[in-house]
Amino acid sequence: MIPGPVEFDPEVMRALGAKTASHVSPEFIAVFGRALQRLREVCLAPSAQPFVVAGSGTWAMEMAVANLVEPGERALVVNTGYFSDRMASLLERYGAEVVQARASPGEVPDSAEVERLLAGGRFKLMTVTHVDTSTGVLAPAEALVRAAHRHGVLSVVDGVCATAGETFHQDAWGADVYLTASQKALGVPPGLALLSVSRRAMDSWRARRTPVRSLYADFAEWLPIMEAYETGRAAYFATPPVNLVYALEVSLGQLLREGMEARFERHRRMAGAFRAAWRALGLRTLPASESVAAHTLSALYFPEGVDATWVGKVREQGVVLAGGLHPQLKTRYFRVGHMNVVSPGDVLATVGAIERALAVAGHRIAPGSAVAAAQAALLPPG
């Protein structure tokens, strides 16, 4: 129950373990083509250009930056944690002049301040971390993306810990890049960097005055590959991770059969049950309020008298949690992932393990109170 890699569906794992085909075989061409088409549907972006490349979420971030920023251009980072810091570092590496709208850990930057910066900042692009995995903070992505669009600024949304778990409508909202990785709510083992890029962003890339600094990141190398596979032809730049693409095609099919709106709602429901349990246990969340709390993970301060070694006690109860990640708070909190195939049974098992581990650590609780609260939250209304 960590915020990635998550638990994976057995059908996805069977695809991962299938006999590896040639990357130019008719079988693989068909699978890769379907995966690209399905990524458009998952991002709710029929007009966007999908990219599926071997790499991590950080590589997806770097591809966006490498292709859309030239030295000396200005970028606004809406900072909500550790991975927003990483995006700022990437932008600086590629020569951008970076301005950051910051907030205290657990909060989101003031929307009026972001609007003011966009209005007068002469920015090429704005970046937003939809869910920062370090803090569990959910940024108001729709409002921020629409604000950037009003001011003629490209929007790059890091959806690594959000895509297929948090509501996002790329085309309808006007987001220019939605990027993610395979190992979280998309439900595929680590190793794929994925981007969905708007026509406006592709036009911006085509209008560059300078070459992209990274060969492997350059859209010019990857676009012919993506276009070829989607139209049923083989093409080569670098060997794709064949079995991961098999697994991706299966997982995206499962997501679409569930339905994106139903999937978003299921993640909200599981998160609501966890939140009921946290309240019953008296645990304080790192996000300052539920309005900025993610539905794909929870970040919670340790209660008084409990320290970071307690995460090991939960493991002894059969559930694996994650420690803190944000540098300012790393030893003060823990994280619970609840995305992809998480079910009511997983919620109750996790809450029960946390209850037992808190009791072992000497934390005074009413036995079963958090499980009962989660169970009540999971029951249908009425």
Side-chain angles (χ1 to χ4, degrees):
M1 298 296 289
I2 66 174
V6 301
E7 289 286 334
F8 305 115
D9 184 271
E11 187 182 353
V12 172
M13 298 306 291
R14 284 193 293 272
L16 187 69
K19 183 178 179 180
T20 303
S22 163
H23 59 285
V24 296
S25 68
E27 173 197 355
F28 180 70
I29 292 168
V31 168
F32 202 171
R34 283 195 299 271
L36 291 165
Q37 293 163 5
R38 288 172 178 178
L39 183 59
R40 280 198 181 93
E41 296 178 63
V42 165
C43 293
L44 298 169
S47 70
Q49 173 59 53
F51 292 88
V52 175
V53 177
S56 66
T58 299
W59 183 244
M61 295 164 68
E62 183 154 355
M63 284 187 71
V65 169
N67 285 280
L68 296 182
V69 168
E70 297 185 68
E73 291 181 328
R74 304 191 83 214
L76 174 62
V77 174
V78 180
N79 195 311
T80 52
Y82 180 91
F83 289 97
S84 300
D85 290 340
R86 179 168 292 184
M87 184 66 87
S89 296
L90 275 168
L91 286 159
E92 289 169 348
R93 286 283 185 101
Y94 280 87
E97 179 188 339
V98 177
V99 175
Q100 298 199 53
R102 289 187 170 275
S104 300
E107 298 180 350
V108 297
D110 179 67
S111 57
E113 172 66 7
V114 173
E115 187 84 34
R116 185 188 67 79
L117 288 167
L118 286 169
R122 297 178 292 105
F123 294 109
K124 170 73 173 294
L125 62 80
M126 176 194 73
T127 70
V128 179
T129 309
H130 196 180
V131 170
D132 199 296
T133 319
S134 71
T135 59
V137 167
L138 174 67
E142 180 179 4
L144 291 167
V145 162
R146 291 187 184 280
H149 203 274
R150 282 197 302 274
H151 294 285
V153 176
L154 294 173
S155 56
V156 175
V157 181
D158 171 357
V160 170
C161 200
T163 306
E166 299 285 359
T167 300
F168 195 84
H169 295 255
Q170 184 175 355
D171 270 13
W173 297 355
D176 291 296
V177 178
Y178 198 40
L179 64 90
T180 192
S182 53
Q183 74 274 12
K184 296 181 186 283
L186 281 184
V188 179
L192 292 175
L194 307 100
L195 303 93
S196 179
V197 185
S198 74
R199 291 173 181 169
R200 189 170 76 135
M202 294 300 293
D203 288 344
S204 177
W205 161 70
R206 291 187 178 97
R208 288 180 65 95
R209 301 179 303 277
T210 59
V212 174
R213 292 184 176 187
S214 165
L215 176 71
Y216 191 67
D218 194 347
F219 285 168
E221 303 294 344
W222 289 111
L223 182 59
I225 311 304
M226 302 300 128
E227 290 177 334
Y229 277 103
E230 196 168 2
T231 55
R233 297 176 291 110
Y236 175 76
F237 167 57
T239 305
V242 171
N243 286 62
L244 280 170
V245 175
Y246 285 167
L248 176 68
E249 189 258 351
V250 169
S251 185
L252 294 181
Q254 292 175 339
L255 268 63
L256 293 170
R257 284 194 296 275
E258 181 178 5
M260 296 313 299
E261 296 304 324
R263 188 173 179 86
F264 299 149
E265 176 56 32
R266 177 169 60 80
H267 280 78
R268 286 192 290 268
R269 185 166 165 251
M270 298 305 112
F274 274 117
R275 288 171 187 167
W278 310 148
R279 288 191 293 269
L281 290 170
L283 295 175
R284 185 164 66 97
T285 62
L286 197 159
S289 68
E290 286 198 6
S291 65
V292 298
H295 302 100
T296 51
L297 81 154
S298 297
L300 303 143
Y301 287 107
F302 293 118
E304 187 176 350
V306 173
D307 62 23
T309 61
W310 172 82
V311 172
K313 297 184 187 302
V314 183
R315 181 188 286 267
E316 292 170 3
Q317 299 297 324
V319 172
V320 180
L321 306 181
L325 181 60
H326 195 286
Q328 294 179 33
L329 306 166
K330 191 171 183 177
T331 62
R332 294 177 53 196
Y333 75 107
F334 66 101
R335 294 172 298 150
V336 182
H338 33 86
M339 64 189 100
N340 191 38
V341 295
V342 172
S343 68
D346 297 317
V347 174
L348 299 176
T350 302
V351 171
I354 288 172
E355 273 197 349
R356 294 191 301 274
L358 286 171
V360 168
H363 186 60
R364 298 180 66 181
I365 59 172
S369 60
V371 173
Q375 180 77 289
L378 290 166
L379 293 173

